[in-house]
Amino acid sequence: MSAHCQLTGAKPGFGNTISHSHRRTSRRFDPNTQRRRYWLPSEGRHIRLTLSTKAIKTVDTIGIEAAVARIRARGGKV
């Protein structure tokens, strides 16, 4: 699975690595994504989400039900 957050939509950024001789090569800046398993009480089941660390803190603040509603509003599948 690609480095993509289901809640915030964070994707990899692209840039260059610049060596000491100033030679440039391509690189990716991946978001810090983690696979997390949450209990969804309204559906009576566990769900597994790929979230960035910022999104994990957001889920802790707003709750899993509101987070799932945001994911579904963005068109994501849970």
Side-chain angles (χ1 to χ4, degrees):
M1 176 125 192
S2 65
H4 180 267
C5 177
Q6 290 178 285
L7 181 61
T8 62
K11 296 178 189 174
F14 296 90
N16 291 309
T17 299
I18 302 178
S19 70
H20 180 67
S21 64
H22 217 66
R23 182 182 172 118
R24 294 162 188 246
T25 53
S26 301
R27 63 159 295 180
R28 271 169 60 132
F29 295 92
D30 286 330
N32 186 5
T33 55
Q34 312 286 324
R35 299 262 296 158
R36 280 297 176 100
R37 186 171 173 249
Y38 290 100
W39 173 252
L40 195 59
S42 64
E43 297 182 14
R45 66 185 181 106
H46 285 97
I47 58 171
R48 191 174 298 273
L49 300 173
T50 303
L51 301 172
S52 63
T53 51
K54 180 181 176 182
I56 291 171
K57 293 173 190 174
T58 302
V59 170
D60 291 342
T61 303
I62 67 172
I64 188 63
E65 297 289 343
V68 168
R70 283 189 192 180
I71 292 170
R72 288 182 173 147
R74 291 183 69 237
K77 184 179 174 187
V78 177

